[in-house]
Amino acid sequence: MSSDKQLIRAIKGGDTKSFEKLFERYYDRYFSFACALLHDADAAEDVLQNVFLKLWIGRDRLDENRSIENYLLVSVRNEIFDYLRLKYNQTVVRGETPEKVDTSADIEEEMFWSETSDRMDKIIKNMPPQRQRIFMMSRYENMASKDIADALGLSVRTVERHIYLALQDLKQIIS
């Protein structure tokens, strides 16, 4: 069985078979995660398709020395945010809500998402200040590790280690 590093190296070279192996290795796990948050298997499938499509399109930017599991977790989470934002805009902002809507599922989904978001915020707030700052710069300000390292006067390796540890903390939500 190929390691993630080997698969990423091959994917960067355009190897579709390696991409299929990576897809098969991680699809079920992140599909379950997306289903748990969205309560909609079709939407979860769309989210995963977008994530893996973006991974393939941006394959030349993949780093085999970074965790693909963490990359996929953050990508799925971001794609879910985008999906929910789009859904909100379609239903609330544009007023496209059908006449009769079963809002019980929406209320449950909103409560679940709110709880998950609260758990994520709590985990982030409980991180050591340096890790929290680095994570926020990386994920919310979309800064590269090198830029963060330069801004904070740290080594790139230290920044990457803090990001890795932050993502490990956030994995508690999946478990």
Side-chain angles (χ1 to χ4, degrees):
M1 180 175 280
S2 302
S3 73
D4 285 350
K5 279 186 177 189
Q6 292 169 325
L7 289 175
I8 297 301
R9 208 171 294 125
I11 290 168
K12 285 176 73 169
D15 183 4
T16 56
K17 295 284 186 208
S18 294
F19 180 75
E20 288 173 16
K21 283 182 187 175
L22 187 81
F23 180 87
E24 290 170 4
R25 184 175 291 174
Y26 291 106
Y27 182 86
D28 289 340
R29 177 186 313 173
Y30 292 106
F31 177 76
S32 297
F33 174 64
C35 278
L37 293 177
L38 295 171
H39 302 290
D40 181 344
D42 292 334
E45 188 172 331
D46 289 344
V47 162
L48 267 289
Q49 286 177 354
N50 286 341
V51 166
F52 280 99
L53 178 63
K54 288 176 182 178
L55 185 140
W56 178 254
I57 291 170
R59 66 187 176 274
D60 58 321
R61 293 186 308 263
L62 291 173
D63 181 354
E64 66 250 23
N65 295 316
R66 298 193 69 184
S67 169
I68 192 67
E69 289 182 74
N70 292 339
Y71 173 86
L72 289 170
L73 173 65
V74 171
S75 296
V76 169
R77 185 207 62 193
N78 290 343
E79 198 67 35
I80 289 171
F81 284 152
D82 291 345
Y83 171 81
L84 292 174
R85 190 177 305 113
L86 177 65
K87 185 176 176 184
Y88 173 81
N89 287 338
Q90 287 175 338
T91 58
V92 176
V93 175
R94 296 187 187 129
E96 295 179 8
T97 306
E99 290 296 318
K100 293 183 179 180
V101 177
D102 177 13
T103 57
S104 62
D106 290 339
I107 292 169
E108 282 182 32
E109 180 178 316
E110 187 176 321
M111 287 175 55
F112 181 82
W113 185 247
S114 176
E115 289 172 11
T116 302
S117 181
D118 289 346
R119 286 175 54 202
M120 286 179 66
D121 289 343
K122 185 178 179 183
I123 290 170
I124 291 169
K125 286 178 183 168
N126 287 329
M127 290 178 187
Q130 181 90 328
R131 185 178 311 158
Q132 181 182 14
R133 185 169 185 204
I134 289 170
F135 182 77
M136 299 295 277
M137 292 170 83
S138 169
R139 296 308 191 250
Y140 295 107
E141 297 174 29
N142 296 317
M143 291 178 69
S145 295
K146 176 154 179 29
D147 296 334
I148 297 169
D150 292 343
L152 299 178
L154 301 169
S155 72
V156 174
R157 180 72 182 125
T158 298
V159 169
E160 289 174 349
R161 181 73 180 152
H162 277 288
I163 293 169
Y164 170 79
L165 292 171
L167 292 171
Q168 291 299 106
D169 292 344
L170 287 170
K171 278 186 180 180
Q172 295 173 24
I173 293 172
I174 295 176
S175 307

